[in-house]
Amino acid sequence: MSTRQFGARIERNIDPKLLRGEGVFVDDIPLPQPLHAAFVRSPFARARIRSINIAAAERHPGVAAVYTCDNIGDLDVEMPLLIPHSSMKHPHTQRPLARGDVYYVGQCVAMVVAVNRYVAEDAAALIEVDYDPLDVEIDIEKAVEGGAPLVHADAPNNIAAHFVQVSGNPDEAFAKAEHVVKIRVQVERSTAAPMECRAVAARWDEVSQELTVWDGTQAPISLRGGLASILKLDEDKVRVIAPDVGGGFGQKIMMFHPDELLVPMAAMELGRPVKYIEDRRENFIGASQERTQIHYIELAAKKSGEVIGLKDSFLHDTGAFIPYGIAVAQVASTSIAGPYRIPNIWVEFKAVYTPTVQVTPYRGCGRPQACFAIERAMDQLAEKLGIDRFEIRRRNLIGEKEFPYPREGLLFADGLKVTLDSGQYHKALEMILAELGAANFAAAQQQVRAEGKYLGLGLAFYVEGTGLGPYEGGHVRIHPITGKVYVNTGLSCQGQGHDTVFAQIVADQLGVKPQDVIVVEGDTKAFDWGVATFASRAAVVSGNAIHKTATIVREKTIEAAANMLEADAADIDLHDGAAWVKGSNRFVPLAAVATASNPLRYAFNKAAQAATQFAPASRHDGPPLEEGKAPGLEASDYYSPPCATWAYGVHGALVEVDPELCTVKVNKYVCIHDCGNMINPMIVEGQVHGGVAQGLGGALYERLEFEPSGNLANANFVDFLMPYATEIPDIKVMHLETPSPLNPLGVKGVGEAGCIAVGAVVASAVEDALKPLGAGRFHQVPLTPSMIQAALDRAGR
Amino acid sequence: MTSRRLKRRFAETAEDPTLQVSLTVNGELIERTASVRMLLSDFLRHELGLTGTHVGCEHGICGCCTVLIDGKAARSCLTLVAQADGTEVTTIEALAAEDGKLHPIQQAFKESHALQCGYCTPGMIMNIFGRFNEPEPLDLSDQGIRTMLSGNLCRCTGYVNIVAAVRRAAQLLGRV
Ligand code: FES
Ligand code: FES
């Protein structure tokens, strides 16, 4: 018997290619004589365009074409509103190229296509745009006040959406409360900053009338649908390929960024391949961002610390457009009660237009903000009641026996009721308590204080609704010649190791090595049913679809092999790449089974001889392929989750704050996390590590600095402080595995988990460290040295 | 779109001034005409097809574009190909053996799950490779390794496994 691959720490199939520099990212695709696009972007946050003069650019040597809104034909429209919702009264999406008005610094106004990027940029610089700048308000709290300049004239007070959800009876709970705490918390604007910026290349084949688009997207199938409908092409004439993609983190789920439409259009019109490789500055100013939310959260509690009600009202910055609907804010609002019972909830948000680039999901998608709000509020309540921070959580966590735990009245981002499905929250709490040495920490803290050292302990819980629908599919085929297994699904991969985890799932069913399972995704010509990679859903949705499919292929294989081996199907076992009669040394390789399952006319190799019409084993008493049967060992199946599966975890940190330099050093960082059954713990840990590092960036360093004019002051890696290895501590990850009862594999998603709690952990720890100095509370991230200094100044230190 | 459209004609080349460059890349002498302002990263990637060298910022911060120039780790995005004239350049493509067998640093990355999307990886590895080639002893403390990596950004891994990979590579190369 082969050992089980599910759950094993298997090295990744894709690594050798990436390590040798043989990965193929969009800009690596060899195209014949490609042309290169560059954009003219608005330098104003809000302005009216008086005129655009492209004459000099058109004359510039090496330029093939210059586009503005006036010569892009059918593309001169507002791009799709991807996720409509009734709470949006004035939804706006942007145009590929601005017409009349610009709404943020970085918005595309014109596109130049030229022989190379150098020339395209030269020509772009020759385009003269005459603007009338308009007044702007960047601050979301001021933007919703009457009299603030409007981003869109038809959206009063800049409100893009307003939504209230209620669970239980919050008013009654607050009336009964013995204690109420209310705090204001703020999380700042940030960006995914994948190391590979966005990129798109396109080729139009005049002969076959087919458009091929290479796009570093998380959603190739959805992108194809959109391209076909906007470019008015038959869906089957559009092929979208997401090749190797250098990180996505949600930014690449958003479609369309203008180039994703304009580059294919130009390729079609010019009859030459065209590519656009976003540069880093463009990624900062032109690609989707996320995070700014300001929450006013209130907890109603009994003396015992039991929280009986929660009210939260928050503002969510959606940028100048709202193409992805209210998804981010909705996820935040439905995650607001975290892992706690809290039976009565009132949560309201206003999505606010600001003259900045659009906001769409970035890893975490509203969860870090919600987690920051509830966890900071829990700390505050603990302090008010004089209860330990661990203890207050212990008294409120949902117990193991209380699952499934529904929150009536709250609809999640999939439109379905929030129901936390499973977990061992108390056990997680005990684990982190032990791992942080919390029992002895106060003494240690006390001891070093005499030496002028300020140590702090922080913790925060999170929950994460993962694995959203609607569905994904799987296609599995055992190849007749090599016996290798080919697997397809409708996702694309940005580094999460799909090719290995899906191979592990299939390997268990078919008794092959994971290295012999070849996963192909991200190509609509290979498989084109499905949705996309987002919401920590790949393992859950595609994983289960592939599992179901592999089970079918297993049955087919066993049946065919039983025939060939003249044995009972129940006596057949699949392992080591072959079908065996149990307890014997009689076997037939999977390649032979696959070949024999496909009636042949031509004997192109030895195995094929056995499948030809005159071979003894062929069927001679009817059509070679029995009525109702399909050739080969192959199947497709689909998985559609009944609702989200809820992963969770608790993070803790020990930090040292230097009150002179106002710096924070993380001495120890621990994650206890539970994503159900793990397919590959090594990959799970990698996901968590990466998430925590991104979380630490958001907790301490990363903040997009918009000037009052709307200009982004730090649109580069010099000024936007993304952590290097020197800023990230060792991260200890400990697993709990509570199988999700919702799907056959018992898995939950993990992609976003790592980043959610970090801000709350760091703020909790810094607050703890500086308590003896009377520095007060830290309710905003990133928590910068200047904030610490200001707090110490206020405390008179 | 109509297929009756006349085939369009464009300029095939830019009118940039050019110069002759001659440099050794991965052991092979290369002589080409290149635009005077062409970056070494673009030259390697698009003129020579060595697309393993990646570009993550083009302003010298991320380290994705790291190659060795005369044995020292350098940013190919901050180097004009004109400046590389007469030098010896080594890129990620030169590390594995002819038959594809991974170099011990690459092997260590694989064993340690030190890469996810793989975009930062070639630059990261070339930086480590450059450092390993220096005669000075390696500081393999956590801090020492992190300092060694401090010119390369990675957005996926949180660096934990890259630190482990450096240690493992040192082991495989007998540097501990
Ligand atoms: S691309 Fe050269 S340092 Fe970033
Ligand atoms: S592995 Fe993706 S950036 Fe490092």
Side-chain angles (χ1 to χ4, degrees):
Chain A
M1 239 344 259
S2 323
T3 46
R4 195 158 184 248
Q5 305 295 348
F6 188 108
R9 308 177 78 91
I10 290 178
E11 290 176 26
R12 304 193 319 166
N13 287 345
I14 195 173
D15 286 352
K17 145 179 133 157
L18 293 174
L19 285 163
R20 288 192 289 252
E22 291 166 3
V24 181
F25 299 81
V26 171
D27 194 30
D28 305 341
I29 306 278
L31 294 168
Q33 290 188 297
L35 298 169
H36 298 252
F39 287 92
V40 175
R41 294 172 181 274
S42 170
F44 294 105
R46 193 69 183 80
R48 205 142 286 149
I49 297 174
R50 278 210 279 212
S51 64
I52 305 175
N53 185 346
I54 60 171
E58 283 185 309
R59 279 196 310 269
H60 191 70
V63 169
V66 178
Y67 296 99
T68 66
C69 61
D70 287 329
N71 60 346
I72 56 172
D74 291 345
L75 259 49
D76 183 32
V77 289
E78 289 187 1
M79 292 193 279
L81 175 63
L82 295 173
I83 311 179
H85 191 274
S86 59
S87 66
M88 291 187 284
K89 299 292 176 250
H90 311 280
H92 287 278
T93 61
Q94 66 178 323
R95 291 167 175 272
L97 293 173
R99 169 171 291 286
D101 285 67
V102 285
Y103 296 87
Y104 61 92
V105 172
Q107 187 175 354
C108 294
V109 174
M111 178 173 82
V112 177
V113 181
V115 290
N116 62 41
R117 174 70 180 237
Y118 298 76
V119 172
E121 286 186 20
D122 290 345
L126 297 173
I127 293 177
E128 286 165 27
V129 187
D130 193 4
Y131 297 96
D132 264 342
L134 302 172
D135 288 342
V136 295
E137 182 54 68
I138 295 291
D139 181 323
I140 52 173
E141 286 179 306
K142 293 188 187 140
V144 293
E145 283 167 13
L150 295 182
V151 177
H152 300 284
D154 65 352
N157 297 348
N158 291 304
I159 308 262
H162 180 206
F163 195 47
V164 179
Q165 298 201 74
V166 181
S167 183
N169 192 334
D171 286 338
E172 201 177 289
F174 274 81
K176 282 203 310 225
E178 290 162 324
H179 288 280
V180 173
V181 293
K182 178 168 186 172
I183 59 171
R184 174 194 185 277
V185 303
Q186 181 166 350
V187 176
E188 299 263 24
R189 189 84 167 243
S190 191
T191 182
M195 291 317 301
E196 184 201 20
C197 293
R198 298 179 41 269
V200 54
R203 185 178 66 200
W204 171 248
D205 186 322
E206 194 69 43
V207 178
S208 63
Q209 298 278 296
E210 275 178 354
L211 175 70
T212 305
V213 178
W214 293 267
D215 187 322
T217 177
Q218 296 173 223
I221 297 174
S222 306
L223 193 76
R224 182 194 63 170
L227 278 171
S229 81
I230 293 170
L231 297 173
K232 300 196 170 55
L233 292 167
D234 187 335
E235 256 188 318
D236 213 49
K237 294 286 187 194
V238 182
R239 176 182 188 181
V240 176
I241 301 171
D244 292 322
V245 180
F249 315 113
Q251 188 179 71
K252 297 174 183 175
I253 190 70
M254 174 53 206
M255 61 174 215
F256 298 94
H257 286 88
D259 45 89
E260 293 177 295
L261 282 174
L262 294 166
V263 167
M265 173 212 74
M268 291 173 74
E269 205 195 68
L270 302 173
R272 278 266 290 274
V274 178
K275 66 157 94 171
Y276 164 68
I277 310 300
E278 183 184 69
D279 71 22
R280 185 54 63 182
R281 175 173 165 75
E282 293 177 300
N283 186 266
F284 271 108
I285 62 173
S288 282
Q289 306 171 348
E290 205 217 280
R291 293 283 195 267
T292 304
Q293 285 182 359
I294 297 174
H295 288 248
Y296 285 89
I297 183 170
E298 265 177 281
L299 298 181
K302 294 195 189 160
K303 271 209 251 350
S304 63
E306 185 193 339
V307 181
I308 53 174
L310 179 160
K311 289 188 181 179
D312 179 36
S313 172
F314 69 94
L315 297 177
H316 165 78
D317 181 353
T318 191
F321 299 101
I322 193 159
Y324 214 80
I326 59 165
V328 177
Q330 190 172 17
V331 168
S333 68
T334 45
S335 309
I336 193 70
Y340 308 114
R341 276 190 215 96
I342 315 184
N344 304 294
I345 300 167
W346 177 88
V347 57
E348 169 201 52
F349 66 80
K350 290 179 181 141
V352 184
Y353 284 127
T354 56
T356 58
V357 65
Q358 69 204 359
V359 165
T360 69
Y362 156 40
R363 192 182 209 170
C365 185
R367 298 173 186 90
Q369 298 94 313
C371 176
F372 193 68
I374 178 69
E375 289 299 285
R376 298 281 46 227
M378 288 303 275
D379 278 4
Q380 181 110 358
L381 180 65
E383 190 186 317
K384 177 157 183 178
L385 298 178
I387 303 175
D388 170 76
R389 284 174 292 169
F390 291 87
E391 184 55 31
I392 192 110
R393 288 173 168 84
R394 191 177 290 121
R395 293 181 193 176
N396 286 287
L397 289 173
I398 297 166
E400 215 176 315
K401 301 219 161 53
E402 294 172 74
F403 293 104
Y405 194 87
R407 297 201 193 276
E408 292 299 337
L410 300 192
L411 292 187
F412 197 49
D414 52 4
L416 302 170
K417 183 172 76 186
V418 171
T419 306
L420 291 82
D421 58 308
S422 58
Q424 308 172 63
Y425 297 175
H426 287 93
K427 185 159 182 201
L429 186 68
E430 295 318 314
M431 284 169 74
I432 196 119
L433 190 100
E435 186 57 33
L436 289 174
N440 307 320
F441 184 72
Q445 217 174 7
Q446 199 64 48
Q447 206 182 349
V448 296
R449 208 164 283 156
E451 307 157 25
K453 280 193 178 172
Y454 291 85
L455 299 184
L457 178 152
L459 83 156
F461 256 95
Y462 68 89
V463 293
E464 185 197 358
T466 71
L468 309 197
Y471 82 97
E472 289 296 336
H475 172 252
V476 175
R477 168 193 283 187
I478 301 178
H479 198 281
I481 293 177
T482 58
K484 291 200 179 178
V485 184
Y486 277 74
V487 177
N488 306 112
T489 187
L491 306 177
S492 64
C493 191
Q494 304 82 38
Q496 304 90 328
H498 293 174
D499 72 328
T500 308
V501 294
F502 295 154
Q504 288 175 263
I505 291 170
V506 171
D508 277 342
Q509 290 306 315
L510 301 181
V512 295
K513 291 194 293 235
Q515 294 76 16
D516 287 334
V517 180
I518 292 142
V519 176
V520 178
E521 56 180 345
D523 180 351
T524 59
K525 275 285 190 246
F527 191 77
D528 64 350
W529 293 111
V531 187
T533 306
F534 66 98
S536 305
R537 68 193 291 277
V540 180
V541 192
S542 276
N544 279 292
I546 289 168
H547 171 73
K548 285 173 73 187
T549 313
T551 313
I552 301 170
V553 175
R554 174 187 174 81
E555 277 165 26
K556 285 191 182 183
T557 309
I558 288 178
E559 192 189 307
N563 257 330
M564 295 170 77
L565 292 162
E566 296 177 330
D568 202 59
D571 290 331
I572 301 290
D573 210 1
L574 304 182
H575 59 88
D576 296 304
W580 301 72
V581 180
K582 282 181 198 162
S584 80
N585 54 9
R586 292 175 55 219
F587 73 96
V588 47
L590 291 191
V593 185
T595 304
S597 307
N598 178 26
L600 291 173
R601 180 152 180 84
Y602 306 115
F604 45 76
N605 67 14
K606 193 125 189 294
Q609 276 176 21
T612 53
Q613 285 157 299
F614 298 100
S618 310
R619 226 170 102 88
H620 300 292
D621 55 350
L625 191 63
E626 217 176 313
E627 188 59 36
K629 291 256 156 122
L633 300 175
E634 176 177 42
S636 292
D637 202 359
Y638 301 87
Y639 176 72
S640 182
C643 61
T645 59
W646 288 75
Y648 67 94
V650 55
H651 289 195
L654 304 180
V655 306
E656 181 179 341
V657 184
D658 182 332
E660 295 298 316
L661 297 173
C662 298
T663 50
V664 179
K665 183 162 172 286
V666 180
N667 290 329
K668 179 166 184 151
Y669 200 97
V670 184
C671 319
I672 316 292
H673 86 106
D674 187 342
C675 59
N677 293 334
M678 287 186 287
I679 308 171
N680 185 331
M682 181 190 83
I683 286 177
V684 167
E685 283 159 19
Q687 288 296 309
V688 175
H689 290 156
V692 170
Q694 243 163 355
L696 282 168
L700 290 166
Y701 309 105
E702 295 172 15
R703 173 177 181 269
L704 292 171
E705 282 171 42
F706 285 97
E707 294 166 344
S709 68
N711 181 49
L712 182 58
N714 59 344
N716 58 65
F717 281 152
V718 183
D719 302 312
F720 179 83
L721 305 176
M722 211 161 105
Y724 285 108
T726 35
E727 279 71 53
I728 301 296
D730 194 28
I731 299 161
K732 170 140 193 179
V733 181
M734 296 167 79
H735 305 290
L736 270 172
E737 285 185 271
T738 315
S740 171
L742 297 178
N743 60 69
L745 294 173
V747 296
K748 304 176 180 184
V750 70
E752 295 165 278
C755 74
I756 299 170
V758 191
V761 172
V762 168
S764 176
V766 171
E767 199 169 288
D768 186 43
L770 295 180
K771 199 172 285 171
L773 296 177
R777 311 188 198 291
F778 291 90
H779 287 166
Q780 187 169 341
V781 277
L783 207 169
T784 59
S786 17
M787 286 161 66
I788 293 175
Q789 188 185 20
L792 291 173
D793 284 352
R794 273 196 305 274
R797 298 282 170 164
Chain B
M1 293 271 160
T2 164
S3 55
R4 292 164 161 250
R5 220 179 27 232
L6 294 180
K7 197 166 171 184
R8 313 222 340 204
R9 281 208 54 168
F10 314 110
E12 297 295 332
T13 52
E15 292 186 355
D16 278 5
T18 59
L19 83 173
Q20 281 293 120
V21 289
S22 122
L23 63 164
T24 308
V25 178
N26 298 339
E28 217 178 300
L29 182 68
I30 306 289
E31 292 185 318
R32 296 281 167 107
T33 307
S35 149
V36 291
R37 60 173 166 169
M38 179 172 278
L39 299 175
L40 178 59
S41 51
D42 281 338
F43 181 79
L44 293 169
R45 292 176 44 74
H46 300 306
E47 298 295 311
L48 304 185
L50 295 174
T51 52
T53 299
H54 295 157
V55 171
C57 71
E58 283 188 297
H59 54 261
I61 301 296
C62 75
C64 284
C65 65
T66 306
V67 298
L68 301 191
I69 301 180
D70 292 332
K72 287 239 174 295
R75 307 281 207 234
S76 62
C77 79
L78 294 185
T79 310
L80 297 168
V81 65
Q83 293 171 290
D85 188 38
T87 65
E88 241 177 79
V89 175
T90 311
T91 71
I92 186 71
E93 284 88 350
L95 254 64
E98 285 279 286
D99 67 356
K101 188 171 180 302
L102 298 179
H103 181 278
I105 299 174
Q106 295 169 316
Q107 181 61 28
F109 264 63
K110 180 166 184 283
E111 289 174 16
S112 313
H113 185 33
L115 67 158
Q116 290 183 25
C117 76
Y119 200 78
C120 71
T121 312
M124 201 62 96
I125 289 181
M126 291 314 286
N127 173 29
I128 298 165
F129 180 63
R131 180 65 190 85
F132 271 52
N133 283 348
E134 289 166 14
E136 293 84 60
L138 300 170
D139 176 356
L140 295 175
S141 67
D142 198 70
Q143 206 42 51
I145 296 175
R146 288 178 185 275
T147 305
M148 182 193 306
L149 301 176
S150 67
N152 292 75
L153 286 172
C154 172
R155 194 56 156 170
C156 297
T157 64
Y159 305 104
V160 178
N161 292 343
I162 300 181
V163 172
V166 172
R167 220 167 260 138
R168 175 74 183 132
Q171 233 172 43
L172 291 174
L173 289 162
R175 293 291 298 268
V176 278

PDB file of all heavy atoms in Angstrom, chain A residues 323 497 563 612:
ATOM      1  N   PRO A 323     -16.473  48.854  -8.095  1.00  0.00           N
ATOM      2  CA  PRO A 323     -16.756  47.764  -9.032  1.00  0.00           C
ATOM      3  C   PRO A 323     -16.968  46.418  -8.344  1.00  0.00           C
ATOM      4  O   PRO A 323     -17.676  45.572  -8.875  1.00  0.00           O
ATOM      5  CB  PRO A 323     -15.492  47.720  -9.908  1.00  0.00           C
ATOM      6  CG  PRO A 323     -14.414  48.288  -9.042  1.00  0.00           C
ATOM      7  CD  PRO A 323     -15.100  49.355  -8.242  1.00  0.00           C
ATOM      8  N   GLY A 497       0.751  26.737  -4.328  1.00  0.00           N
ATOM      9  CA  GLY A 497       1.082  25.319  -4.433  1.00  0.00           C
ATOM     10  C   GLY A 497      -0.085  24.427  -4.829  1.00  0.00           C
ATOM     11  O   GLY A 497      -0.122  23.246  -4.486  1.00  0.00           O
ATOM     12  N   ASN A 563     -11.825  -6.264 -15.044  1.00  0.00           N
ATOM     13  CA  ASN A 563     -12.047  -6.978 -16.293  1.00  0.00           C
ATOM     14  C   ASN A 563     -10.769  -7.573 -16.843  1.00  0.00           C
ATOM     15  O   ASN A 563     -10.706  -8.735 -17.225  1.00  0.00           O
ATOM     16  CB  ASN A 563     -12.582  -5.989 -17.339  1.00  0.00           C
ATOM     17  CG  ASN A 563     -14.071  -6.178 -17.521  1.00  0.00           C
ATOM     18  OD1 ASN A 563     -14.571  -7.303 -17.353  1.00  0.00           O
ATOM     19  ND2 ASN A 563     -14.758  -5.099 -17.832  1.00  0.00           N
ATOM     20  N   THR A 612      -6.678  -2.685 -29.652  1.00  0.00           N
ATOM     21  CA  THR A 612      -7.190  -2.625 -31.025  1.00  0.00           C
ATOM     22  C   THR A 612      -8.331  -3.622 -31.214  1.00  0.00           C
ATOM     23  O   THR A 612      -8.533  -4.536 -30.416  1.00  0.00           O
ATOM     24  CB  THR A 612      -6.076  -2.924 -32.047  1.00  0.00           C
ATOM     25  OG1 THR A 612      -5.461  -4.152 -31.684  1.00  0.00           O
ATOM     26  CG2 THR A 612      -5.042  -1.815 -32.066  1.00  0.00           C
TER      27      THR A 612
END
